[in-house]
Amino acid sequence: KKTMGDERANDVFLAKVAEQAERYDDMVKFMTKLVHRGGELSVEERNLLSVAYKNVVGARRASWRVLHSFSKSKEEGFDKQRELVDEYRRTVEGEIDTICEEILSLLGDILLKNSQDDPEASVFYLKMMGDYLRYLAEVTEKEKRKQS
């Protein structure tokens, strides 16, 4: 019979394997599952969570920057293509939004609450929250930002 400890160890093990295989979306899944099991995260587990989300959002932020610079292109006759690129960029923005909201929810609803007796963990999570709020702000259109 598997114990909760075995399941946590399996989540961590699989997250490390996913990291080695550069399958960061999977790494996020394993670490999210671990967070939902409850309890405080060890330093190693916190770092795995951070690496997973940083890679998942980082790849999309890099894509977004490329698409954003296309949208700003002043080339003649680029209007039809610009519309296509803008639509594509909005898709990537949606992915970034989803990822950021997901980790912000884990941080705010679970991890910070579980780490009240651990100032080092709390600072780690608050810094992560700041990072993901900044990533959200980077891709949020000025209009939307004024509304919120």
Side-chain angles (χ1 to χ4, degrees):
K1 187 175 172 327
K2 277 205 254 178
T3 66
M4 188 69 150
D6 290 340
E7 290 176 353
R8 287 185 74 88
N10 289 345
D11 292 337
V12 169
F13 173 74
L14 287 171
K16 289 176 179 175
V17 170
E19 180 182 16
Q20 291 303 305
E22 295 184 24
R23 301 231 347 141
Y24 300 107
D25 290 301
D26 293 340
M27 192 180 179
V28 160
K29 285 183 195 123
F30 296 127
M31 291 312 297
T32 299
K33 202 193 284 182
L34 180 76
V35 169
H36 284 291
R37 292 191 192 284
E40 290 185 37
L41 297 188
S42 68
V43 171
E44 179 187 39
E45 292 165 349
R46 285 198 304 259
N47 287 327
L48 286 168
L49 178 73
S50 177
V51 164
Y53 271 97
K54 188 166 271 47
N55 280 288
V56 164
V57 84
R60 286 163 178 90
R61 288 173 68 219
S63 303
W64 182 86
R65 284 191 293 269
V66 169
L67 296 169
H68 185 69
S69 66
F70 266 116
S71 314
K72 297 289 167 249
S73 168
K74 298 286 185 254
E75 268 181 63
E76 286 295 310
F78 189 63
D79 295 335
K80 182 70 191 127
Q81 287 96 331
R82 187 176 292 114
E83 275 176 44
L84 290 169
V85 171
D86 283 344
E87 194 176 315
Y88 189 24
R89 189 196 74 235
R90 283 192 288 273
T91 301
V92 175
E93 283 172 9
E95 291 175 12
I96 293 171
D97 277 352
T98 301
I99 294 162
C100 290
E101 296 297 347
E102 200 177 276
I103 185 62
L104 287 166
S105 156
L106 287 178
L107 290 162
D109 300 340
I110 301 173
L111 293 166
L112 270 170
K113 289 186 174 118
N114 292 347
S115 71
Q116 287 173 336
D117 300 328
D118 183 350
E120 194 178 314
S122 295
V123 167
F124 185 92
Y125 297 139
L126 288 167
K127 183 194 174 299
M128 266 183 90
M129 283 182 96
D131 290 340
Y132 288 90
L133 287 167
R134 187 177 79 243
Y135 303 153
L136 265 180
E138 284 173 358
V139 301
T140 302
E141 292 166 27
K142 286 183 179 68
E143 292 313 305
K144 268 197 254 163
R145 236 180 289 168
K146 285 177 193 141
Q147 291 165 19
S148 44

